[in-house]
């Protein structure tokens, strides 16, 4: 290209060259070149590039100046595509039909349209195509010639579905394996495919934790690869452990009708080494490692599992910029699935997703405002936690509150402590406490010169109270088997069953140091338990993946302590208890943490790791910090300009360095944060900072100058150069120094980050409360809504009322009960028997009853109460059955029928059966513990000499005691 050509035209040519095209000017073409972009200047504001693949004319680029209008250029590309093909039909791929691959670019952005997305290869409009023809889209760069060559081969092989987007409109519904899919998964896949068929570039699936998000996209990925001809699917995560979980899910999937797993049909790659083979169909990667590849940075070693959590953010900076990568061109993937998409993708890592010319599918249980914005509010499927609980996909939870004085109010590290000498004399001496360096973990002892008060927000941030941790852990231990997991009554026998093995429990700690202290406190509290009983599982711990696997599968490891490694995405189905010893402010993060306990587990799998557990129908949140009591915000960027909460020290210092406008309130905040930092500095730390101050200035002097600056009534412009003469000298000096000295700002941040944690072993904590929380407000609403429903749908309730009143057979009563439940669930999916029962227990209508294990019989009790069949008092169904048996026995005695001890033992077994099932059958006498004592055969033998024939007696007791 001539040096006289405009810069924008040179940029376009460079992009084409980087993508693999050989660019020529008029009359410069050479023989033997397979992939050409022939440049044709049309005017000072327009240059055309005609694209040849294997000497066949197939595309066109319309390039204009930077300020050029994209749509005008795209219209020009369409006009020229038709004109050029008409003039050179003998060389054009489709003859006289318009060139299909059309680009418009101003040298900064590229826009692409493939007209075959909306028409057949012969130019006939596809009947199912969208109105207005093919839709254009932004692309990072022009596609590679090899990609166009592949597109052309596919179009020739499937002329009526010539592109991937065209084939998305023809996915066969009959091939969807709905037998292995839950209803929500099936609906999600169908809704996603409808969105893809509309050519929506982005789609969001919201599915509750534990509802099978990953399995859903595994099924969907297979369909897109097998039936829509997708070239390659990328599954993107932001943590290594999530990538390994997804890898295993894909690897173990066996498609419908296949004899071999998916990875043997379609090569699967874990992008840990930064290499992808051309034959790979499914690639799983962290977004951080993918960014390394796109930015030209060496991909970390496969065994370097700390890269994503420790170094990647610092390496990428505020925005993870990317460049063209020939090994991973923008057209490398057709579909990108972003797991846990409420994180990572809106700020720093967004350029990675913007780079690829692919459909982006987001998966999350907790979408936030930015999630909806990124996915253009295209929520194709929504399956909430409440719906998952109602469907039995997830389990519900209870809350147990532990409140202590220090947790709620903080405490004071006293300057003076009482020391008792061997001769019983008492002396007041300066307190001595330990302090631990947050990064190096070095421990030192220091004397307390004056009382040091600390508030609730500073607990485990600036000060760690050993007694607060001890008290919380010991209270958890003491209440574990009495109130958190209390004894339950066996539905069949009425026997009380207690648990003795600590359920799989996960503690959430504030930071790594806090996690270490919790682990030590747990091991001490539980009888001096060994290392195998409780372990820390964080990214900084030894072999975290193995520890996580042990926690999931081994019986001995009962309690794990983490910071956030197991907060999202990690699957531990047998987990029954979450203990929050750190507060969470954002709704989405708390929901993700909460979701760790929500997963269901098969009874045999639960018993494998917790021998005395029978069935997981709930999990418990032990709230030791008030995390369940305060409202939570939507997740937002750390630095924001709407000023609530107050800015961080990092943000304020960064604003100084950038010369941003600071309000006096910001300066006051900065002064306050530096003053607090000063109280934590030792002599060495203070000296490091004061090296960057003026010769005669001290750290306290810097803070004082900021305090004076905060009194200014006008916003202060921070400048690196000398202040204006009319500015107050004290304000100018204080602010200008922070603005001018990057070393000073860095030293302050380092001191804040590398500060010491004070260990308060002097304050004695006090237990304020330890109790289960019941949501009376929600329970009242549920009961009121249910009663209103019964009034509004009296005609639907009437058959059940009649069946009750006429004492029809239990089978008929249960039939009417199930019919009513079916009608209710059709309109109010969340009204399960379990939820209704829990509401009646929480309102103490069903006094003394267990809140869990509710089913048909509990619902039957609710209906009997609401219909007034048992008087004004709520009567548990077992007591109804027992009273009926007493009345029946009285009638038998009046008729002269006596029963011996063996027969009465069997009658008590009958009560157990009816109390659990509301009916009695011969089969039910051969089940459970009845089978252990001989079952129906022993029942027959016991009553063989009775007035009652065994078969007749079963029918009689069913009729008299049931429903």
């Amino acid at each position: 290209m001539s040096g006289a050509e405009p810069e924008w035209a040179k940029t376009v040519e460079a992009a084409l060259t980087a993508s693999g095209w050989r660019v020529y000017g008029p009359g410069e073409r050479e023989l033997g070149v397979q992939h050409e972009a022939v440049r044709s200047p049309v005017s000072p504001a327009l240059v055309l590039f005609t694209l040849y693949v294997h000497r066949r004319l197939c595309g066109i680029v319309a390039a204009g100046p930077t300020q050029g209008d994209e749509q005008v250029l795209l219209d020009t590309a369409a006009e020229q595509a038709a004109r050029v093909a008409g003039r050179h039909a003998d060389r054009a791929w489709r003859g006289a039909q318009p060139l299909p691959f059309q680009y418009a670019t101003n040298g900064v952005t590229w826009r692409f349209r493939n007209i075959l997305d909306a028409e057949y290869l012969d130019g006939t409009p596809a009947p199912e195509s969208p109105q207005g023809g093919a839709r254009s889209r932004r692309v990072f760069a022009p596609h590679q010639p090899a990609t166009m060559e592949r597109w052309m081969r596919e179009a020739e092989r499937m002329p009526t579905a010539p592109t991937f987007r065209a084939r998305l409109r023809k996915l066969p519904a009959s091939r969807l394996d709905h037998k292995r899919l839950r209803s929500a998964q099936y609906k999600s896949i169908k809704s996603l495919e409808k969105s893809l068929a509309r050519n929506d570039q982005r789609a969001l699936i919201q599915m509750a934790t534990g509802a099978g998000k990953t399995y859903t996209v595994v099924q969907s990925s297979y369909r897109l690869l097998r039936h829509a001809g997708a070239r390659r699917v990328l599954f993107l995560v932001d943590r290594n452990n999530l990538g390994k979980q997804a890898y295993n899910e894909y690897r173990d999937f066996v498609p419908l009708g296949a004899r071999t797993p998916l990875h043997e049909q379609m090569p699967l790659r874990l992008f840990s080494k930064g290499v992808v083979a051309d034959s790979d169909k499914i690639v799983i990667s962290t977004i951080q490692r993918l960014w390394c590849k796109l930015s030209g940075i060496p991909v970390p070693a496969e065994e370097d599992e700390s890269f994503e959590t420790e170094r990647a953010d610092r390496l990428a900076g505020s925005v993870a910029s990317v460049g063209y990568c020939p090994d991973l061109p923008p057209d490398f993937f057709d579909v990108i699935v972003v797991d846990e998409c409420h994180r990572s993708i809106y700020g720093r890592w967004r350029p990675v997703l913007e780079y690829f010319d692919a459909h982006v599918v987001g998966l999350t249980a907790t979408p936030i405002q930015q999630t909806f914005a990124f996915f253009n509010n295209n929520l194709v499927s929504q399956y909430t936690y409440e719906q998952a609980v109602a469907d039995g996909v997830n389990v519900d939870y209870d809350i147990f509150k532990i409140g202590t004085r220090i947790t709620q109010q903080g405490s004071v590290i006293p300057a003076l402590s009482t020391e008792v000498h061997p001769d019983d004399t008492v002396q007041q001496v300066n307190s001595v406490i330990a302090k631990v360096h947050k990064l190096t973990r070095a421990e030192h002892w220091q004397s307390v010169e004056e009382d040091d008060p600390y508030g609730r927000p500073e607990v485990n941030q600036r000060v760690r109270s050993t007694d607060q941790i001890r008290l919380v852990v010991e209270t958890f231990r003491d209440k574990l088997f009495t109130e958190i997991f209390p004894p339950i009554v066996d539905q069949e026998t009425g026997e009380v069953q207690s648990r003795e093995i600590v359920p799989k429990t996960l503690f959430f700690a504030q930071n790594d140091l806090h996690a270490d202290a919790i682990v030590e406190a747990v091991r001490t509290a539980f009888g001096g338990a060994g290392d195998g009983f409780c372990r820390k599982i964080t990214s900084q711990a030894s072999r975290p993946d193995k520890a996580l696997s042990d926690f999931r599968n081994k019986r001995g490891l009962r309690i794990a302590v983490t910071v956030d490694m197991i907060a999202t995405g990690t699957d531990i189905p047998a987990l029954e208890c979450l203990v929050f010893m750190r507060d969470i402010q954002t709704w989405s993060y708390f929901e993700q943490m909460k979701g760790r306990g929500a997963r269901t587990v098969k009874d045999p799998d639960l018993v494998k790791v917790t021998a005395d557990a029978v069935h997981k129908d709930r999990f418990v949140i032990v709230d030791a910090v008030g995390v369940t009591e305060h409202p939570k915000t939507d997740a937002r960027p750390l630095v924001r300009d709407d000023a609530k909460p107050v800015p961080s020290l990092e943000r304020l210092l960064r604003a100084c360095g950038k010369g941003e406008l600071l309000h006096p309130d910001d300066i006051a905040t900065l002064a306050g944060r530096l003053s607090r930092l000063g109280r934590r500095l030792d002599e060495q730390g203070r000296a490091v900072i004061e090296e960057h101050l003026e010769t005669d200035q001290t750290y306290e002097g810097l803070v004082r100058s900021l305090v004076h600056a905060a009194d200014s009534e006008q916003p202060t412009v921070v400048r690196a150069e000398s202040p204006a003469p009319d500015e107050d000298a004290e304000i100018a000096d204080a602010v200008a120094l922070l603005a001018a000295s990057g070393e000073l700002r860095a030293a302050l941040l380092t001191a804040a980050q590398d500060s010491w944690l004070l260990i308060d072993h002097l304050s004695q904590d006090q237990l304020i409360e330890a109790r289960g929380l019941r949501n009376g407000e929600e329970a009242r609403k549920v009961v009121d809504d249910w009663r209103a429903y019964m009034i509004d749908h009296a005609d639907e309730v009437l058959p059940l009322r009649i069946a009750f009143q006429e004492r029809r057979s239990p089978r008929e009563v249960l039939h009417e009960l199930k019919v009513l439940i079916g009608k209710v669930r059709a309109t109010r999916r969340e009204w399960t028997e379990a939820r209704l029962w829990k509401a009646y227990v929480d309102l103490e209508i069903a006094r003394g009853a267990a809140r869990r294990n509710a089913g048909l019989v509990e619902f039957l009790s609710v209906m009997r109460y609401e219909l007034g069949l048992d008087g004004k008092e709520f009567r548990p169904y077992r007591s109804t059955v027992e009273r009926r048996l007493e009345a029946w026995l009285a009638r038998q005695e009046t008729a002269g029928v006596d029963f011996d001890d063996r027969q009465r033992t069997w009658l008590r077994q009958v009560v157990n059966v009816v109390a659990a099932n509301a009916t009695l059958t011969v089969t039910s006498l051969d089940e459970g513990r009845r089978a252990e004592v001989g079952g129906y055969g022993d029942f027959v033998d016991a009553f063989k000499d009775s007035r009652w024939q065994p078969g007749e007696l079963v029918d009689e007791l069913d009729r008299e005691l049931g429903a």
Side-chain angles (χ1 to χ4, degrees), residues 456 508-510 580-586 589-590 593 623 625-630 632:
R456 174 175 180 165
F508 286 112
Q510 184 69 41
F580 281 85
M581 293 186 70
R582 62 174 293 192
D583 200 2
I584 305 299
Q585 300 300 322
T586 60
Y589 196 34
F590 175 67
M593 287 177 157
D623 182 1
V625 290
V627 67
T628 61
E629 297 177 338
H630 61 75
K632 295 169 184 62

Side-chain angles (χ1 to χ4, degrees), residues 34-235:
Q34 300 296 315
H35 305 131
E36 303 169 291
V38 180
R39 181 179 63 250
S40 301
V42 176
S43 71
L46 178 65
V47 176
L48 297 179
F49 296 84
T50 48
L51 305 179
Y52 292 82
V53 172
H54 291 297
R55 314 295 291 182
R56 290 183 294 177
L57 187 58
C58 61
I60 194 164
V61 179
T66 304
Q67 65 272 21
D69 184 277
E70 279 187 343
Q71 188 58 54
V72 172
L73 288 171
L74 199 59
D75 292 342
T76 300
E79 294 169 2
Q80 294 297 327
R83 185 181 66 81
V84 170
R87 291 177 56 186
H88 305 283
D90 56 329
R91 287 183 289 169
W93 172 48
R94 296 200 308 161
Q97 296 293 332
L99 307 180
F101 311 131
Q102 304 170 5
Y103 295 88
T105 179
N106 56 14
V108 178
T109 61
W110 287 76
R111 200 157 192 91
F112 170 67
R113 175 170 55 210
N114 185 350
I115 65 174
L116 293 179
D117 287 342
E119 64 183 48
Y120 295 160
L121 184 60
D122 63 5
T124 304
E128 69 279 7
S129 63
Q131 298 181 12
R135 183 192 302 178
S136 63
R137 59 186 185 270
R138 282 280 184 95
V139 292
F140 186 86
H143 297 92
Q144 291 188 336
T147 299
M148 286 192 185
E149 182 180 354
R150 173 169 56 85
W151 288 347
M152 293 162 69
R153 289 197 306 268
E154 291 174 354
E156 290 168 352
R157 190 171 66 250
M158 295 173 282
T160 60
T163 70
F164 173 58
R165 284 169 170 74
R167 294 189 290 274
L168 287 173
R169 298 193 294 268
K170 297 185 176 184
L171 277 170
S174 60
R175 300 288 183 90
L176 185 55
D177 184 7
H178 60 273
K179 291 184 179 180
R180 285 191 291 174
L181 291 170
R182 297 169 179 152
S183 174
Q185 293 172 321
Y186 179 82
K187 291 177 181 177
S188 292
I189 292 174
K190 295 306 296 179
S191 298
L192 172 61
E193 290 178 356
K194 287 181 180 178
S195 176
L196 294 173
R198 294 193 303 266
N199 200 18
D200 295 329
Q201 282 294 100
R202 296 173 181 176
L204 176 63
I205 295 175
Q206 177 188 1
M207 190 174 287
T209 297
K213 296 187 295 292
T214 305
Y215 187 79
T216 299
V217 297
V218 169
Q219 281 265 12
S220 183
S221 299
Y222 173 75
R223 284 174 57 77
L224 295 175
L225 290 163
R226 176 66 69 195
H227 303 303
R231 171 70 169 172
R232 199 174 282 112
V233 172
L234 170 67
F235 191 95

Side-chain angles (χ1 to χ4, degrees), residues 936-955:
Y936 182 63
D938 191 74
F939 178 84
V940 170
D941 187 61
F943 287 96
K944 64 182 178 181
D945 296 327
S946 169
R947 170 182 169 180
W948 289 95
Q949 292 296 315
E952 294 176 352
L953 182 58
V954 169
D955 293 338

Side-chain angles (χ1 to χ4, degrees), residues 441-642:
R441 298 175 181 262
E443 183 174 312
H444 298 284
W445 292 85
Q446 69 176 29
S447 176
V448 181
E449 302 299 329
E450 58 182 15
D451 288 354
D452 185 358
Y454 59 92
R456 174 175 180 165
E458 294 177 287
V459 175
N460 295 313
Q461 293 281 9
R462 184 174 74 86
V463 182
R464 185 173 76 214
S465 166
T466 56
D467 203 55
Q468 183 255 359
I469 296 174
R470 176 201 62 80
L471 185 56
V472 169
V473 171
E474 290 186 357
T475 303
F476 166 73
R477 177 202 63 192
D478 295 342
K479 302 293 184 180
L480 184 58
F481 297 122
T482 57
E483 298 181 41
I484 300 174
F485 289 88
I488 62 173
V489 177
D490 187 288
Q491 285 187 321
E492 290 193 359
T493 66
E495 296 178 2
V496 176
Q497 298 177 335
S498 300
R499 295 179 63 172
E500 298 178 351
I501 299 175
V502 176
K504 288 284 186 176
T505 299
L506 180 63
F507 277 73
F508 286 112
Q510 184 69 41
N511 47 51
D512 246 58
L513 286 173
H514 189 211
D516 288 335
I518 294 172
V519 168
E520 189 62 31
V522 168
R523 291 173 180 171
T524 301
F526 283 87
D531 294 354
F533 177 79
C534 175
R535 286 193 60 180
K536 180 178 75 171
I537 305 179
T538 69
S539 59
Q540 297 182 28
S542 173
R543 303 179 67 187
D545 283 344
K546 182 181 184 304
L548 186 59
S549 176
D550 290 346
F551 184 50
R552 182 185 294 114
N553 301 312
K554 289 189 175 181
R555 287 190 172 191
L557 182 51
R558 306 311 304 169
I559 297 176
V561 183
T562 191
V563 178
D564 56 12
M565 182 177 174
I566 317 178
T568 61
T570 306
D571 186 7
I572 309 174
L575 192 62
E576 295 184 81
C577 188
L578 305 177
V579 183
F580 281 85
M581 293 186 70
R582 62 174 293 192
D583 200 2
I584 305 299
Q585 300 300 322
T586 60
W587 165 81
S588 61
Y589 196 34
F590 175 67
E591 289 296 316
Q592 288 287 333
M593 287 177 157
K594 189 175 76 176
R596 298 314 97 212
R599 297 179 186 273
T600 57
V601 60
K602 295 178 180 178
D603 293 349
D605 294 335
L606 177 62
V607 173
K608 283 180 182 178
V609 294
T610 306
D612 64 353
V614 177
H615 176 68
K616 181 181 176 182
D617 65 340
R618 69 158 186 160
F619 70 100
V620 180
I621 293 175
V622 178
D623 182 1
V625 290
V627 67
T628 61
E629 297 177 338
H630 61 75
K632 295 169 184 62
T633 62
D634 219 356
R636 296 183 178 182
L638 177 62
V639 178
R640 52 185 183 270
D641 294 325
D642 49 359

